[in-house]
Amino acid sequence: MIVVELRFTGDPAARLTARPAHRELLARLHTEGRLVAAGPWQDDSGALLLFDADEATVREALDADPYYQRTPGVSVVALRHWRPVVGGP
């Protein structure tokens, strides 16, 4: 599994404009079984995405979503491999 952590900074207007297309992509990835869960931190300072996929697939998904590449105020802080001991798929 892979965890992706996002950070949100600056004026949220551009991020909120790009969010519907971003969430459509997340919904598709979830339906395909590649994305387990995703959502923003309670304070809206960023978000966490949990993938059940290899790193190449995750990077491809990130590259396909303009939210991560061209939206001001959205940055990928970390992409980490995670090995759940309890729970998980």
Side-chain angles (χ1 to χ4, degrees):
M1 298 186 84
I2 295 180
V3 174
V4 176
E5 182 181 350
L6 305 178
R7 178 178 19 232
F8 303 150
T9 58
D11 181 9
R15 178 170 48 86
L16 296 177
T17 299
R19 191 167 62 183
H22 162 68
R23 287 192 172 172
E24 282 182 32
L25 178 61
L26 293 180
R28 181 176 57 81
L29 292 169
H30 184 263
T31 299
E32 293 170 357
R34 294 189 279 170
L35 181 67
V36 177
W41 301 125
Q42 185 68 33
D43 65 2
D44 205 36
S45 64
L48 182 115
L49 294 82
L50 177 60
F51 288 89
D52 186 11
D54 61 31
E55 186 171 337
T57 300
V58 172
R59 289 191 183 278
E60 181 181 303
L62 296 178
D63 289 345
D65 190 339
Y67 197 67
Y68 308 111
Q69 303 300 322
R70 295 187 299 274
T71 302
V74 176
S75 58
V76 176
V77 175
L79 186 149
R80 300 186 66 175
H81 293 261
W82 182 55
R83 185 178 44 226
V85 175
V86 176

